[in-house]
Amino acid sequence: MCKFDAIPVVDAQPALAEGRQDAVAALLPRGDPARASYDLFVNWMQQTNPGANIDLFTVYGWVSAELFVQALKAAGPQATRAGLLSALQQIDDFDANGLLAPGGPASKRPA
């Protein structure tokens, strides 16, 4: 069973999530790219730490890793610290594949 405490609707109405395997999945239609990202995240959590409480901090960790990997790929196969920092400074449209509202990490543009 997966609890997803990061969704304000669930926090405001805990009865909505009670007894559901994924309260968030009900909010994301199949075929939506964000649903695929969410499913990947939940499946990974269930495989690596079954029964873990998926909360806002878990999601922050996941999307931070996505941002890091995106920058690492942009830095190239022989990535250096300077190259990674340069790549991070150029990412200005990031939404963690639909898990977040679009924001600009490089320009510090909020979502």
Side-chain angles (χ1 to χ4, degrees):
M1 182 168 289
C2 172
K3 296 177 185 173
F4 198 91
D5 298 326
I7 301 301
V9 172
V10 174
D11 287 341
Q13 301 290 330
L16 292 176
E18 201 169 311
R20 286 203 167 148
Q21 184 166 350
D22 338 61
V24 175
L27 303 173
L28 298 171
R30 295 237 180 251
D32 184 324
R35 173 61 184 261
S37 296
Y38 169 77
D39 288 342
L40 175 65
F41 167 63
V42 170
N43 289 335
W44 176 256
M45 289 300 299
Q46 289 173 344
Q47 288 176 17
T48 59
N49 193 359
N53 183 32
I54 298 175
D55 61 9
L56 187 58
F57 300 107
T58 313
V59 176
Y60 282 159
W62 180 264
V63 300
S64 295
E66 282 198 29
L67 181 61
F68 179 82
V69 168
Q70 184 176 333
L72 193 56
K73 287 178 180 177
Q78 300 296 320
T80 62
R81 183 178 191 275
L84 179 61
L85 291 174
S86 176
L88 281 167
Q89 292 168 348
Q90 295 175 31
I91 298 174
D92 204 41
D93 189 25
F94 181 74
D95 69 353
N97 297 313
L99 291 177
L100 302 174
S107 65
K108 301 190 183 344
R109 177 176 46 91

